[in-house]
Amino acid sequence: MASAMEPMPFNSLLILLLISSASVSIESKSEDPTPAAWPSQFHSILFMNTSAGKLQVVDLWYDWPNGRNFNIIQNQLGKLLYDLEWDNGTSFIYTLDSNQECRVLHFPVGVLRPNWLEGANYLGQQEIDGFLCNVWEKVDFIWYYEDVITRRPVSWTFYTGMVTHVMTFEVGAVLEDENWQAPVYCFKEHEKERSTVLESVAGDGSSGGFSLMRATVI
């Protein structure tokens, strides 16, 4: 009879390791995946279809370390809008044409934090735009699709029906500082249009959905 001090036979040890490994695998599969946090800085080209069926191409620059987010929005056969968001809750939505239009919006929150999807409800996997994605929903407001393999965002949909398709996603890309300055006419008091979030953002989706997202999801 083997003593209690003798080493476990190799075959028995191997079986034990296989059982332990299978147990860990089963446990890990039972846990829902969590969405990847956004990179602290990235550049992305987005194609958006608003709830009203209007098409937009959005040139997005996300810069969390410097507390800023920039959406350059080309409406189909329409205006080119600049939506400059700061972490102090101020947004400037303006044109650079001869009309010199500018709206100044004030939010109770700043720029979306990289982990803004924390706490989202996992819905499973679904194919969208030709990519197999994990899908999450947050506060019945946004449905977020992330590529299973690369973990890059592929698409997201707002409760209003506005759909975003991610065309490019450049991690670490940074826009030069001189491009983050709103035009001087945004700072002239008589030209400021101070609006509430719901009046200015929820209505026409002119800010590409990001101002609405940060106002509601954070």
PDB file of all heavy atoms in Angstrom, residues 4 15-16 24-25 31 33 41 69 72 78 83 92 100 133 140 157 173-174 177 188 194-195 198 218:
ATOM      1  N   ALA A   4       1.060   7.739   2.664  1.00  0.00           N
ATOM      2  CA  ALA A   4       0.459   9.044   2.404  1.00  0.00           C
ATOM      3  C   ALA A   4       1.464  10.029   1.876  1.00  0.00           C
ATOM      4  O   ALA A   4       1.106  11.050   1.293  1.00  0.00           O
ATOM      5  CB  ALA A   4      -0.178   9.571   3.691  1.00  0.00           C
ATOM      6  N   ILE A  15      -5.164  13.335 -14.915  1.00  0.00           N
ATOM      7  CA  ILE A  15      -6.631  13.357 -14.904  1.00  0.00           C
ATOM      8  C   ILE A  15      -7.150  14.513 -14.055  1.00  0.00           C
ATOM      9  O   ILE A  15      -8.079  15.227 -14.431  1.00  0.00           O
ATOM     10  CB  ILE A  15      -7.177  12.016 -14.382  1.00  0.00           C
ATOM     11  CG1 ILE A  15      -6.875  10.903 -15.396  1.00  0.00           C
ATOM     12  CG2 ILE A  15      -8.685  12.105 -14.130  1.00  0.00           C
ATOM     13  CD1 ILE A  15      -7.200   9.515 -14.888  1.00  0.00           C
ATOM     14  N   LEU A  16      -6.504  14.703 -12.882  1.00  0.00           N
ATOM     15  CA  LEU A  16      -6.914  15.789 -12.005  1.00  0.00           C
ATOM     16  C   LEU A  16      -6.744  17.141 -12.680  1.00  0.00           C
ATOM     17  O   LEU A  16      -7.612  18.015 -12.595  1.00  0.00           O
ATOM     18  CB  LEU A  16      -6.101  15.737 -10.702  1.00  0.00           C
ATOM     19  CG  LEU A  16      -6.425  16.813  -9.661  1.00  0.00           C
ATOM     20  CD1 LEU A  16      -7.883  16.712  -9.234  1.00  0.00           C
ATOM     21  CD2 LEU A  16      -5.511  16.683  -8.455  1.00  0.00           C
ATOM     22  N   VAL A  24     -12.526  25.091 -14.918  1.00  0.00           N
ATOM     23  CA  VAL A  24     -12.235  26.512 -15.133  1.00  0.00           C
ATOM     24  C   VAL A  24     -12.840  26.988 -16.434  1.00  0.00           C
ATOM     25  O   VAL A  24     -13.413  28.068 -16.533  1.00  0.00           O
ATOM     26  CB  VAL A  24     -10.718  26.756 -15.118  1.00  0.00           C
ATOM     27  CG1 VAL A  24     -10.413  28.175 -15.568  1.00  0.00           C
ATOM     28  CG2 VAL A  24     -10.149  26.497 -13.726  1.00  0.00           C
ATOM     29  N   SER A  25     -12.735  26.134 -17.495  1.00  0.00           N
ATOM     30  CA  SER A  25     -13.274  26.506 -18.797  1.00  0.00           C
ATOM     31  C   SER A  25     -14.782  26.687 -18.725  1.00  0.00           C
ATOM     32  O   SER A  25     -15.335  27.631 -19.276  1.00  0.00           O
ATOM     33  CB  SER A  25     -12.917  25.425 -19.823  1.00  0.00           C
ATOM     34  OG  SER A  25     -13.488  25.720 -21.067  1.00  0.00           O
ATOM     35  N   GLU A  31     -19.547  33.092 -17.681  1.00  0.00           N
ATOM     36  CA  GLU A  31     -19.481  34.511 -17.396  1.00  0.00           C
ATOM     37  C   GLU A  31     -19.661  35.309 -18.685  1.00  0.00           C
ATOM     38  O   GLU A  31     -19.029  35.032 -19.693  1.00  0.00           O
ATOM     39  CB  GLU A  31     -18.136  34.867 -16.752  1.00  0.00           C
ATOM     40  CG  GLU A  31     -17.923  34.212 -15.389  1.00  0.00           C
ATOM     41  CD  GLU A  31     -16.557  34.548 -14.818  1.00  0.00           C
ATOM     42  OE1 GLU A  31     -15.795  35.266 -15.510  1.00  0.00           O
ATOM     43  OE2 GLU A  31     -16.253  34.092 -13.707  1.00  0.00           O
ATOM     44  N   PRO A  33     -19.190  38.159 -21.391  1.00  0.00           N
ATOM     45  CA  PRO A  33     -18.085  39.059 -21.731  1.00  0.00           C
ATOM     46  C   PRO A  33     -18.442  40.506 -21.430  1.00  0.00           C
ATOM     47  O   PRO A  33     -19.629  40.861 -21.360  1.00  0.00           O
ATOM     48  CB  PRO A  33     -17.898  38.835 -23.242  1.00  0.00           C
ATOM     49  CG  PRO A  33     -19.232  38.346 -23.720  1.00  0.00           C
ATOM     50  CD  PRO A  33     -19.813  37.555 -22.581  1.00  0.00           C
ATOM     51  N   GLN A  41      -7.118  57.599 -26.739  1.00  0.00           N
ATOM     52  CA  GLN A  41      -7.075  58.484 -27.904  1.00  0.00           C
ATOM     53  C   GLN A  41      -7.280  57.640 -29.165  1.00  0.00           C
ATOM     54  O   GLN A  41      -6.650  56.600 -29.332  1.00  0.00           O
ATOM     55  CB  GLN A  41      -5.736  59.222 -27.991  1.00  0.00           C
ATOM     56  CG  GLN A  41      -5.515  60.226 -26.866  1.00  0.00           C
ATOM     57  CD  GLN A  41      -4.125  60.819 -26.890  1.00  0.00           C
ATOM     58  OE1 GLN A  41      -3.136  60.106 -27.027  1.00  0.00           O
ATOM     59  NE2 GLN A  41      -4.036  62.136 -26.745  1.00  0.00           N
ATOM     60  N   ASN A  69     -13.342  66.020 -27.219  1.00  0.00           N
ATOM     61  CA  ASN A  69     -13.889  65.126 -28.235  1.00  0.00           C
ATOM     62  C   ASN A  69     -14.373  65.998 -29.401  1.00  0.00           C
ATOM     63  O   ASN A  69     -15.015  67.023 -29.183  1.00  0.00           O
ATOM     64  CB  ASN A  69     -15.050  64.320 -27.652  1.00  0.00           C
ATOM     65  CG  ASN A  69     -15.544  63.249 -28.591  1.00  0.00           C
ATOM     66  OD1 ASN A  69     -14.851  62.278 -28.838  1.00  0.00           O
ATOM     67  ND2 ASN A  69     -16.747  63.408 -29.114  1.00  0.00           N
ATOM     68  N   ILE A  72     -16.536  66.036 -36.644  1.00  0.00           N
ATOM     69  CA  ILE A  72     -16.682  66.843 -37.856  1.00  0.00           C
ATOM     70  C   ILE A  72     -17.712  66.124 -38.719  1.00  0.00           C
ATOM     71  O   ILE A  72     -17.470  65.014 -39.198  1.00  0.00           O
ATOM     72  CB  ILE A  72     -15.339  67.003 -38.574  1.00  0.00           C
ATOM     73  CG1 ILE A  72     -14.310  67.608 -37.619  1.00  0.00           C
ATOM     74  CG2 ILE A  72     -15.500  67.869 -39.825  1.00  0.00           C
ATOM     75  CD1 ILE A  72     -12.895  67.617 -38.156  1.00  0.00           C
ATOM     76  N   GLY A  78     -25.387  68.555 -47.661  1.00  0.00           N
ATOM     77  CA  GLY A  78     -25.781  69.612 -46.746  1.00  0.00           C
ATOM     78  C   GLY A  78     -24.597  70.225 -46.030  1.00  0.00           C
ATOM     79  O   GLY A  78     -23.472  70.228 -46.530  1.00  0.00           O
ATOM     80  N   ASP A  83     -18.558  69.797 -34.226  1.00  0.00           N
ATOM     81  CA  ASP A  83     -19.079  69.621 -32.871  1.00  0.00           C
ATOM     82  C   ASP A  83     -17.888  69.385 -31.947  1.00  0.00           C
ATOM     83  O   ASP A  83     -17.339  68.284 -31.882  1.00  0.00           O
ATOM     84  CB  ASP A  83     -20.049  68.441 -32.841  1.00  0.00           C
ATOM     85  CG  ASP A  83     -20.555  68.122 -31.436  1.00  0.00           C
ATOM     86  OD1 ASP A  83     -20.351  68.946 -30.532  1.00  0.00           O
ATOM     87  OD2 ASP A  83     -21.140  67.043 -31.248  1.00  0.00           O
ATOM     88  N   PHE A  92     -19.350  73.303 -28.539  1.00  0.00           N
ATOM     89  CA  PHE A  92     -19.524  74.300 -29.584  1.00  0.00           C
ATOM     90  C   PHE A  92     -19.903  73.560 -30.861  1.00  0.00           C
ATOM     91  O   PHE A  92     -19.160  72.701 -31.327  1.00  0.00           O
ATOM     92  CB  PHE A  92     -18.246  75.096 -29.820  1.00  0.00           C
ATOM     93  CG  PHE A  92     -17.736  75.824 -28.609  1.00  0.00           C
ATOM     94  CD1 PHE A  92     -16.787  75.233 -27.766  1.00  0.00           C
ATOM     95  CD2 PHE A  92     -18.189  77.100 -28.287  1.00  0.00           C
ATOM     96  CE1 PHE A  92     -16.308  75.897 -26.653  1.00  0.00           C
ATOM     97  CE2 PHE A  92     -17.727  77.770 -27.175  1.00  0.00           C
ATOM     98  CZ  PHE A  92     -16.782  77.171 -26.348  1.00  0.00           C
ATOM     99  N   GLN A 100     -21.130  81.838 -40.493  1.00  0.00           N
ATOM    100  CA  GLN A 100     -20.577  81.904 -39.133  1.00  0.00           C
ATOM    101  C   GLN A 100     -21.610  81.517 -38.072  1.00  0.00           C
ATOM    102  O   GLN A 100     -21.836  82.219 -37.095  1.00  0.00           O
ATOM    103  CB  GLN A 100     -20.015  83.308 -38.851  1.00  0.00           C
ATOM    104  CG  GLN A 100     -18.871  83.696 -39.761  1.00  0.00           C
ATOM    105  CD  GLN A 100     -18.188  84.992 -39.350  1.00  0.00           C
ATOM    106  OE1 GLN A 100     -18.691  85.749 -38.511  1.00  0.00           O
ATOM    107  NE2 GLN A 100     -17.036  85.251 -39.921  1.00  0.00           N
ATOM    108  N   CYS A 133     -20.421  39.820 -33.815  1.00  0.00           N
ATOM    109  CA  CYS A 133     -20.212  40.779 -32.723  1.00  0.00           C
ATOM    110  C   CYS A 133     -20.850  40.307 -31.419  1.00  0.00           C
ATOM    111  O   CYS A 133     -21.868  39.620 -31.418  1.00  0.00           O
ATOM    112  CB  CYS A 133     -20.832  42.135 -33.085  1.00  0.00           C
ATOM    113  SG  CYS A 133     -20.058  42.954 -34.491  1.00  0.00           S
ATOM    114  N   ASP A 140     -31.532  50.868 -21.800  1.00  0.00           N
ATOM    115  CA  ASP A 140     -32.563  50.927 -22.853  1.00  0.00           C
ATOM    116  C   ASP A 140     -32.370  52.131 -23.764  1.00  0.00           C
ATOM    117  O   ASP A 140     -33.337  52.674 -24.315  1.00  0.00           O
ATOM    118  CB  ASP A 140     -33.971  50.976 -22.239  1.00  0.00           C
ATOM    119  CG  ASP A 140     -34.344  49.667 -21.573  1.00  0.00           C
ATOM    120  OD1 ASP A 140     -33.943  48.621 -22.099  1.00  0.00           O
ATOM    121  OD2 ASP A 140     -35.032  49.694 -20.535  1.00  0.00           O
ATOM    122  N   THR A 157     -26.516  51.491 -32.038  1.00  0.00           N
ATOM    123  CA  THR A 157     -27.850  51.984 -32.396  1.00  0.00           C
ATOM    124  C   THR A 157     -28.483  52.652 -31.191  1.00  0.00           C
ATOM    125  O   THR A 157     -28.479  52.098 -30.090  1.00  0.00           O
ATOM    126  CB  THR A 157     -28.754  50.823 -32.862  1.00  0.00           C
ATOM    127  OG1 THR A 157     -28.144  50.169 -33.976  1.00  0.00           O
ATOM    128  CG2 THR A 157     -30.135  51.329 -33.255  1.00  0.00           C
ATOM    129  N   ALA A 173      -4.309  57.758 -32.634  1.00  0.00           N
ATOM    130  CA  ALA A 173      -4.236  58.927 -33.513  1.00  0.00           C
ATOM    131  C   ALA A 173      -4.712  60.173 -32.767  1.00  0.00           C
ATOM    132  O   ALA A 173      -5.695  60.137 -32.044  1.00  0.00           O
ATOM    133  CB  ALA A 173      -5.084  58.711 -34.765  1.00  0.00           C
ATOM    134  N   VAL A 174      -3.972  61.289 -32.956  1.00  0.00           N
ATOM    135  CA  VAL A 174      -4.262  62.531 -32.233  1.00  0.00           C
ATOM    136  C   VAL A 174      -4.333  63.699 -33.213  1.00  0.00           C
ATOM    137  O   VAL A 174      -3.468  63.839 -34.082  1.00  0.00           O
ATOM    138  CB  VAL A 174      -3.188  62.820 -31.162  1.00  0.00           C
ATOM    139  CG1 VAL A 174      -3.500  64.105 -30.412  1.00  0.00           C
ATOM    140  CG2 VAL A 174      -3.075  61.654 -30.185  1.00  0.00           C
ATOM    141  N   ASP A 177      -3.197  70.290 -31.869  1.00  0.00           N
ATOM    142  CA  ASP A 177      -3.840  71.214 -30.927  1.00  0.00           C
ATOM    143  C   ASP A 177      -4.500  72.402 -31.606  1.00  0.00           C
ATOM    144  O   ASP A 177      -5.570  72.854 -31.172  1.00  0.00           O
ATOM    145  CB  ASP A 177      -2.808  71.727 -29.911  1.00  0.00           C
ATOM    146  CG  ASP A 177      -2.469  70.682 -28.862  1.00  0.00           C
ATOM    147  OD1 ASP A 177      -3.263  69.734 -28.672  1.00  0.00           O
ATOM    148  OD2 ASP A 177      -1.407  70.795 -28.231  1.00  0.00           O
ATOM    149  N   LYS A 188     -18.725  85.467 -28.802  1.00  0.00           N
ATOM    150  CA  LYS A 188     -19.393  86.758 -28.719  1.00  0.00           C
ATOM    151  C   LYS A 188     -20.746  86.553 -28.047  1.00  0.00           C
ATOM    152  O   LYS A 188     -21.585  85.810 -28.525  1.00  0.00           O
ATOM    153  CB  LYS A 188     -19.573  87.356 -30.118  1.00  0.00           C
ATOM    154  CG  LYS A 188     -18.242  87.686 -30.785  1.00  0.00           C
ATOM    155  CD  LYS A 188     -18.458  88.254 -32.173  1.00  0.00           C
ATOM    156  CE  LYS A 188     -17.125  88.590 -32.842  1.00  0.00           C
ATOM    157  NZ  LYS A 188     -17.305  89.106 -34.213  1.00  0.00           N
ATOM    158  N   ARG A 194     -27.742  79.674 -25.979  1.00  0.00           N
ATOM    159  CA  ARG A 194     -27.648  78.745 -24.855  1.00  0.00           C
ATOM    160  C   ARG A 194     -28.909  77.884 -24.851  1.00  0.00           C
ATOM    161  O   ARG A 194     -30.007  78.379 -24.679  1.00  0.00           O
ATOM    162  CB  ARG A 194     -27.516  79.519 -23.538  1.00  0.00           C
ATOM    163  CG  ARG A 194     -26.263  80.395 -23.501  1.00  0.00           C
ATOM    164  CD  ARG A 194     -26.091  81.036 -22.137  1.00  0.00           C
ATOM    165  NE  ARG A 194     -24.910  81.877 -22.107  1.00  0.00           N
ATOM    166  CZ  ARG A 194     -23.683  81.426 -21.851  1.00  0.00           C
ATOM    167  NH1 ARG A 194     -23.497  80.156 -21.607  1.00  0.00           N
ATOM    168  NH2 ARG A 194     -22.659  82.250 -21.831  1.00  0.00           N
ATOM    169  N   SER A 195     -28.717  76.589 -25.044  1.00  0.00           N
ATOM    170  CA  SER A 195     -29.852  75.695 -25.181  1.00  0.00           C
ATOM    171  C   SER A 195     -29.730  74.538 -24.204  1.00  0.00           C
ATOM    172  O   SER A 195     -28.643  74.176 -23.786  1.00  0.00           O
ATOM    173  CB  SER A 195     -29.909  75.123 -26.609  1.00  0.00           C
ATOM    174  OG  SER A 195     -29.895  76.164 -27.554  1.00  0.00           O
ATOM    175  N   LEU A 198     -32.002  68.647 -24.188  1.00  0.00           N
ATOM    176  CA  LEU A 198     -33.112  68.044 -24.909  1.00  0.00           C
ATOM    177  C   LEU A 198     -33.543  68.891 -26.092  1.00  0.00           C
ATOM    178  O   LEU A 198     -33.871  68.383 -27.157  1.00  0.00           O
ATOM    179  CB  LEU A 198     -34.295  67.827 -23.965  1.00  0.00           C
ATOM    180  CG  LEU A 198     -34.084  66.745 -22.907  1.00  0.00           C
ATOM    181  CD1 LEU A 198     -35.319  66.649 -22.009  1.00  0.00           C
ATOM    182  CD2 LEU A 198     -33.814  65.396 -23.550  1.00  0.00           C
ATOM    183  N   ILE A 218     -23.840  58.446 -19.518  1.00  0.00           N
ATOM    184  CA  ILE A 218     -22.842  58.544 -18.448  1.00  0.00           C
ATOM    185  C   ILE A 218     -23.508  58.389 -17.093  1.00  0.00           C
ATOM    186  O   ILE A 218     -24.507  59.014 -16.829  1.00  0.00           O
ATOM    187  CB  ILE A 218     -22.107  59.886 -18.518  1.00  0.00           C
ATOM    188  CG1 ILE A 218     -21.194  59.900 -19.751  1.00  0.00           C
ATOM    189  CG2 ILE A 218     -21.235  60.110 -17.282  1.00  0.00           C
ATOM    190  CD1 ILE A 218     -20.399  61.138 -19.917  1.00  0.00           C
TER     191      ILE A 218
END
